[in-house]
Amino acid sequence: MKLTDDEKAMLDGKEGPGRQKAMELLVRYGEALGAEKLVDTNNVCVAIGASGPFLRDMADKTGSLDAVFSEFSLDAGEVVEIPEVKACTYHLIQGLDPDHWEIEGVDRSVYELHLKGLAFAARIGIQLMNTCTPYLVGNVPVKGEHCAWMESSAVIYANSVLGARMNCEGRESGAAAALAGKIPYWGYHLDQNRLGTHLVEVEYDVESVMDWNLLGYYVGEIVQERVPVMNGIRRLPNLSKLKHCGAAAASSGGVELYHIVGLTPEAHTLEQAFGGKKPVATLKFGPDERRVAYQNLNSSGKETAVDFVMLGCPHYSVEQVGEVCKLLKGRRVNPNTNLWVFTPRALKDIADRNGYTEIITNAGGILMTDTCPALAHVMPKGTRVAATDSGKQAHYMPAILGVQTWFGSTRDCIEAAISGQWRGELA
Ligand code: F3S
């Protein structure tokens, strides 16, 4: 791999052992990928927490988060002192909500380690956004900006809707990119890999958040890791709808980039989206395909008594929190059901001021931040049957948490929270 002078200097240890280990990792990673060079990045989103059981043991044993970072984020083979990050770096979702850890059923020792982790991240200059939707709270990369982000739902949004350039990074490459301000130049950083591969003729009037989930889920399952181009969208979606569509496509498949003709920045026309080439395959999304996606997402749901309603995957926008409040106002959540709604911490402040938090609390629900059930493995104790309006959460909950999961509209979910029964149907 060709390295610039500043990259060679870091690799030679001129900026200390932490950045040296980061560069060693990036060079190994880049060479394995066949990248010819690295590219500068000043926008990194990572998760470096140590609240998982294995990392927790290591942190307990060594008493040092430098040791955990050296081993598990830099694969360093020795403990090095971790310097301040070079790139602007933002923390993604964490293992718990520090304001609701007891309700989440988290041990005090884990909570205390979590606080140490927050202090460590802050010490090395990582911004504590603690959300999977950094683009909702101020990290909005511009078109063409080279980034290094973890979190598939965020990557697909930034690549597709914003036209930023990134691959879905892991804990190690993300951490190394933060310290070095570099990332291998391959995959979706390159023009030629950003062209569409599959044409999706959309023959159903996709409008609601639920429909955008279903479209993303259906397309992702078929195209897997390729680049779908959706054609025929007649109603302009908003940010929340595209957020759900991408998250679902990145769950049923590994989609990191899609285009919508006439809407997303690299698809003003069909020709531009494919770069003049022919699609490798054409598929359609009509009423039948919509039904298939709905059935697939509901395949684990058997019992209709719902213990837990989870909303806010990816973390809700403030507009979505407001919509929940409209549906919930003056009503009470069933005593046998828990309602947890997730939003970024920065938006919770707005929700507090707008009276949304109070409405949710008065109804018996909880507005949470910083974490989510599927990723953090936290749920109300004894949950057997869950419901959600997120294709991504419905995909992962049965597999990760072993619970039956119903998928439907936000209204279906709120009605389930109130009645304790799932009555959702595909209209
Ligand atoms: Fe975010 Fe968790 Fe969903 S990380 S995208 S709320 S699975």
Side-chain angles (χ1 to χ4, degrees):
M1 193 156 47
K2 281 192 213 108
L3 297 181
T4 58
D5 288 346
D6 67 317
E7 290 161 358
K8 282 186 201 147
M10 279 193 276
L11 193 59
D12 290 343
K14 301 223 166 73
E15 294 191 31
R19 270 189 245 293
Q20 184 179 31
K21 293 295 174 195
M23 274 300 295
E24 284 173 8
L25 188 145
L26 289 171
V27 169
R28 268 189 287 148
Y29 174 50
E31 283 177 346
L33 295 166
E36 286 176 5
K37 60 176 187 172
L38 302 174
V39 65
D40 289 339
T41 179
N42 194 27
N43 191 331
V44 178
C45 285
V46 287
I48 62 156
S51 46
F54 186 63
L55 299 186
R56 221 154 58 216
D57 284 354
M58 167 123 193
D60 282 348
K61 235 183 277 157
T62 61
S64 146
L65 287 163
D66 282 298
V68 174
F69 195 101
S70 301
E71 178 83 24
F72 292 101
S73 294
L74 293 182
D75 191 28
E78 63 189 279
V79 179
V80 292
E81 193 182 324
I82 305 303
E84 205 164 309
V85 291
K86 200 169 238 189
C88 283
T89 303
Y90 307 83
H91 209 294
L92 292 162
I93 209 145
Q94 300 264 5
L96 56 91
D97 174 350
D99 298 326
H100 295 104
W101 60 277
E102 283 168 300
I103 293 171
E104 289 176 322
V106 173
D107 283 353
R108 174 170 285 280
S109 62
V110 176
Y111 165 67
E112 284 168 358
L113 179 61
H114 177 79
L115 295 185
K116 283 190 200 152
L118 293 180
F120 174 81
R123 170 176 78 67
I124 65 170
I126 298 178
Q127 323 266 0
L128 296 173
M129 270 185 179
N130 302 348
T131 178
C132 50
T133 53
Y135 49 90
L136 284 179
V137 287
N139 183 0
V140 188
V142 297
K143 182 167 182 271
E145 185 173 349
H146 293 286
C147 304
W149 288 17
M150 295 168 65
E151 176 45 48
S152 61
S153 70
V155 167
I156 191 172
Y157 187 90
N159 262 333
S160 312
V161 181
L162 305 176
R165 295 189 169 216
M166 65 192 78
N167 301 298
C168 200
E169 299 298 341
R171 179 182 176 112
E172 302 79 4
S173 55
L179 292 186
K182 309 277 178 179
I183 195 73
Y185 187 59
W186 75 290
Y188 294 120
H189 291 283
L190 304 173
D191 288 344
Q192 66 268 28
N193 296 333
R194 298 183 64 85
L195 296 175
T197 58
H198 290 63
L199 175 62
V200 184
E201 293 290 4
V202 180
E203 296 174 2
Y204 182 87
D205 235 350
V206 179
E207 196 186 0
S208 64
V209 166
M210 185 167 100
D211 281 341
W212 279 95
N213 268 294
L214 294 174
L215 172 62
Y217 199 73
Y218 184 82
V219 169
E221 201 151 16
I222 293 183
V223 310
Q224 289 294 310
E225 289 169 359
R226 310 300 291 283
V227 183
V229 177
M230 272 106 56
N231 189 35
I233 296 288
R234 283 195 291 269
R235 294 171 191 251
L236 194 69
N238 63 8
L239 183 159
S240 301
K241 293 172 186 177
L242 294 175
K243 167 168 76 84
H244 282 270
C245 176
S251 308
S252 57
V255 182
E256 295 178 31
L257 168 66
Y258 65 82
H259 302 294
I260 299 177
V261 179
L263 176 72
T264 55
E266 291 163 63
H268 294 298
T269 61
L270 206 50
E271 164 139 86
Q272 185 195 9
F274 286 103
K277 293 190 188 147
K278 274 209 160 84
V280 298
T282 299
L283 46 140
K284 75 165 176 125
F285 181 81
D288 292 346
E289 290 74 18
R290 177 174 174 260
R291 182 160 295 280
V292 167
Y294 183 81
Q295 284 165 350
N296 287 348
L297 276 169
N298 278 297
S299 57
S300 73
K302 306 275 179 281
E303 296 161 67
T304 54
V306 172
D307 309 305
F308 174 39
V309 175
M310 185 279 169
L311 301 173
C313 167
H315 277 179
Y316 259 178
S317 62
V318 80
E319 152 227 334
Q320 290 179 292
V321 175
E323 194 192 322
V324 162
C325 289
K326 270 193 207 140
L327 295 165
L328 209 53
K329 201 169 183 178
R331 305 172 83 191
R332 283 291 302 169
V333 170
N334 189 284
N336 298 320
T337 309
N338 288 280
L339 170 66
W340 291 2
V341 184
F342 293 82
T343 195
R345 172 166 293 273
L347 296 185
K348 166 120 183 337
D349 187 53
I350 299 174
D352 290 348
R353 287 161 195 260
N354 268 45
Y356 293 154
T357 311
E358 199 180 344
I359 292 172
I360 293 171
T361 310
N362 287 347
I366 307 174
L367 186 60
M368 293 192 179
T369 65
D370 293 43
T371 191
C372 88
L375 244 85
H377 299 204
V378 289
M379 260 188 331
K381 210 164 165 230
T383 298
R384 294 175 60 245
V385 183
T388 180
D389 63 352
S390 158
K392 176 171 179 174
Q393 197 75 200
H395 180 85
Y396 285 117
M397 273 181 134
I400 295 179
L401 299 170
V403 294
Q404 298 173 43
T405 306
W406 294 105
F407 164 80
S409 68
T410 311
R411 182 182 290 276
D412 292 338
C413 291
I414 293 295
E415 292 310 317
I418 303 288
S419 67
Q421 290 293 318
W422 182 254
R423 298 199 182 98
E425 276 181 8
L426 190 63

